[in-house]
Amino acid sequence: MTRNKGPSQIVGDFLIRFYHEEPDDTKASTKALRAITGMFDYEWEVASTFKELLEMTLPVNTLRDMVRVKANRLWNLPIKVMILTRQWILVKSKIELREDMNFISEETKVLLEKAGWSEARRVSIEEYENHLEKLGYPKFPVALEFLRRFGGLQISESPQGESQRSYNLKVDPLKLTQCYPPYVFAAFEEGLGRPLCPVALADNGHSAIAMDEAGRFYCMDGSALFHVADSIYEAIQILSHTNWPKFDKVLELD
């Protein structure tokens, strides 16, 4: 723990540890999130410290010099957003996984456990990562964490014998990208104004589920894109069941 250190030193140490020797920002963020998995006290400390630092009134060029020296990057606005604001969002999203678990209903837990899920479940996602990279899709750390926890699960409310034929949610980006080609995602991404990572099929394959960098979930249904949820367990709670609430339509393609 680093309780005796100030915000600048904690953030500086974090940037040195995960960014200084890794020029790729996505790889650095992924490495950071993997490294602190399960270290809940450190997760809270890092998250709160990033937030505190961003809200502080600092001398001119303090953040620029910190990024240049500690993260080994030239300073500009996109870099500031990527390393500081973005890192806060990613770490916060990681921590929210633990918080959101409290909002999963017992009924949903039964469906998840029937599908083979447990709180300790983690699966290898190397095949998913390679496949997404090959097709040119972004590999957001929060999306990879979702796949690591739920990848391969087929969640269904059907009786045990029928659950393999009928499902509410199938977490499988390989199968999803076979059903929904890249140009479909590209059209929605252009309309939305941000990239999306394909993660799952829903409603027996009639809908596609994608995530953005901040961990928001979207549902592609025909020519329309709907906002589903803002966090992983909120999405799981909704998509594991047949009766979905009315989603907010984000856009509709021409």
Side-chain angles (χ1 to χ4, degrees):
M1 294 299 294
T2 54
R3 298 184 188 279
N4 295 326
K5 296 182 179 180
S8 295
Q9 188 172 357
I10 293 173
V11 171
D13 290 347
F14 189 89
L15 294 179
I16 289 174
R17 180 180 178 186
F18 297 110
Y19 282 87
H20 193 272
E21 301 300 326
E22 175 52 70
D24 186 289
D25 293 297
T26 299
K27 289 182 179 179
S29 296
T30 302
K31 179 182 176 182
L33 292 178
R34 285 176 175 171
I36 65 177
T37 296
M39 300 172 61
F40 297 131
D41 289 340
Y42 184 51
E43 286 180 338
W44 279 112
E45 182 178 58
V46 170
S48 60
T49 302
F50 267 100
K51 183 174 185 293
E52 182 180 354
L53 188 67
L54 289 170
E55 293 175 348
M56 290 173 64
T57 300
L58 300 168
V60 176
N61 295 334
T62 298
L63 293 178
R64 183 195 66 184
D65 292 342
M66 176 184 294
V67 170
R68 179 176 56 82
V69 175
K70 306 295 186 181
N72 195 25
R73 283 155 169 79
L74 296 177
W75 177 262
N76 55 45
L77 183 58
I79 291 296
K80 174 185 176 182
V81 173
M82 184 174 295
I83 293 181
L84 298 180
T85 306
R86 176 182 170 198
Q87 187 65 54
W88 155 244
I89 291 172
L90 293 176
V91 174
K92 181 174 180 290
S93 297
K94 183 71 167 61
I95 295 169
E96 285 172 348
L97 291 175
R98 179 166 56 114
E99 289 184 309
D100 290 345
M101 188 61 210
N102 297 326
F103 297 98
I104 293 292
S105 69
E106 289 302 318
E107 182 183 6
T108 301
K109 286 182 182 179
V110 169
L111 294 178
L112 291 172
E113 289 167 356
K114 185 178 74 171
W117 173 86
S118 71
E119 289 192 47
R121 183 181 187 270
R122 302 292 186 275
V123 298
S124 171
I125 58 170
E126 182 178 0
E127 185 178 11
Y128 294 154
E129 290 189 77
N130 291 338
H131 181 74
L132 292 171
E133 184 173 357
K134 181 179 179 180
L135 294 180
Y137 288 109
K139 298 184 297 180
F140 303 132
V142 67
L144 297 182
E145 186 64 25
F146 170 72
L147 294 174
R148 192 172 292 111
R149 291 169 182 253
F150 296 96
L153 294 184
Q154 184 163 300
I155 304 166
S156 173
E157 290 177 303
S158 301
Q160 191 71 40
E162 300 176 15
S163 60
Q164 293 303 311
R165 297 190 297 272
S166 175
Y167 61 84
N168 298 338
L169 184 66
K170 184 182 183 71
V171 185
D172 186 348
L174 279 69
K175 184 67 174 178
L176 169 56
T177 54
Q178 292 173 4
C179 301
Y180 291 79
Y183 69 82
V184 174
F185 275 84
F188 282 115
E189 288 174 328
E190 182 178 359
L192 186 63
R194 66 177 70 99
L196 295 170
C197 177
V199 293
L201 287 162
D203 189 22
N204 290 315
H206 294 118
S207 300
I209 305 300
M211 296 176 66
D212 68 11
E213 186 176 18
R216 290 180 287 257
F217 282 74
Y218 299 90
C219 175
M220 300 177 184
D221 191 346
S223 61
L225 183 71
F226 299 88
H227 172 254
V228 175
D230 290 323
S231 68
I232 288 177
Y233 281 110
E234 181 187 2
I236 286 292
Q237 174 67 37
I238 294 170
L239 296 172
S240 295
H241 298 272
T242 303
N243 296 322
W244 293 351
K246 184 177 180 180
F247 298 140
D248 292 331
K249 183 185 291 187
V250 179
L251 65 91
E252 185 152 7
L253 302 177
D254 296 331

